[in-house]
Amino acid sequence: MRDELKDGEAAKGLTYCGFTRNKPIILIMGGSLGSKKINEMVWINLEALLVHFQIVHICGKDQVNHSIHMHGYKQFEYINDELADVMAMADMVKMNKQSKRAWAK
């Protein structure tokens, strides 16, 4: 992982996403070719996931589903400057192989 992504502040991530510490937070990062399938799986299972977790979801370019507005769920095309803070706040990070390669550079 890039060094600058290790210096985030969880409190800033919580503020950015509007989350609290009342449930664990999952950061889901799609990206590249796999993002559409990942996004669809998240959206299909979102209600069940939100019973136990808060979810921040990086969907990829032009992939945000603007019809979904649920408490505890925040989606973005990309996160740039705030990514280190969002990663610091997350209890779990799930990303596909393409995303792992991109964030390691």
Side-chain angles (χ1 to χ4, degrees), residues 3-105:
D3 284 339
E4 64 267 21
L5 295 178
K6 297 176 184 175
D7 295 329
E9 295 181 38
K12 288 183 180 180
L14 290 167
T15 299
Y16 180 68
C17 292
F19 289 172
T20 64
R21 278 288 173 204
N22 65 338
K23 291 182 187 176
I25 299 168
I26 300 174
L27 168 58
I28 301 171
M29 301 170 70
S32 195
L33 301 175
S35 65
K36 187 171 183 174
K37 287 187 182 215
I38 291 170
N39 294 346
E40 289 172 0
M41 291 305 298
V42 170
W43 296 327
I44 288 168
N45 295 288
L46 191 55
E47 283 188 45
L49 290 167
L50 290 174
V51 170
H52 302 286
F53 304 100
Q54 298 169 99
I55 299 173
V56 57
H57 182 188
I58 302 175
C59 303
K61 184 172 173 48
D62 299 322
Q63 297 293 318
V64 170
N65 185 334
H66 296 285
S67 69
I68 297 176
H69 304 282
M70 300 178 86
H71 182 72
Y73 176 70
K74 190 76 172 172
Q75 59 182 325
F76 302 93
E77 272 193 11
Y78 299 106
I79 299 177
N80 293 313
D81 295 339
E82 299 85 0
L83 184 59
D85 299 327
V86 171
M87 290 182 81
M89 109 181 139
D91 297 295
M92 181 188 315
V93 177
K94 175 62 181 140
M95 62 180 75
N96 64 12
K97 289 180 184 178
Q98 291 89 358
S99 294
K100 287 178 186 176
R101 286 188 207 114
W103 299 116
K105 295 179 183 177

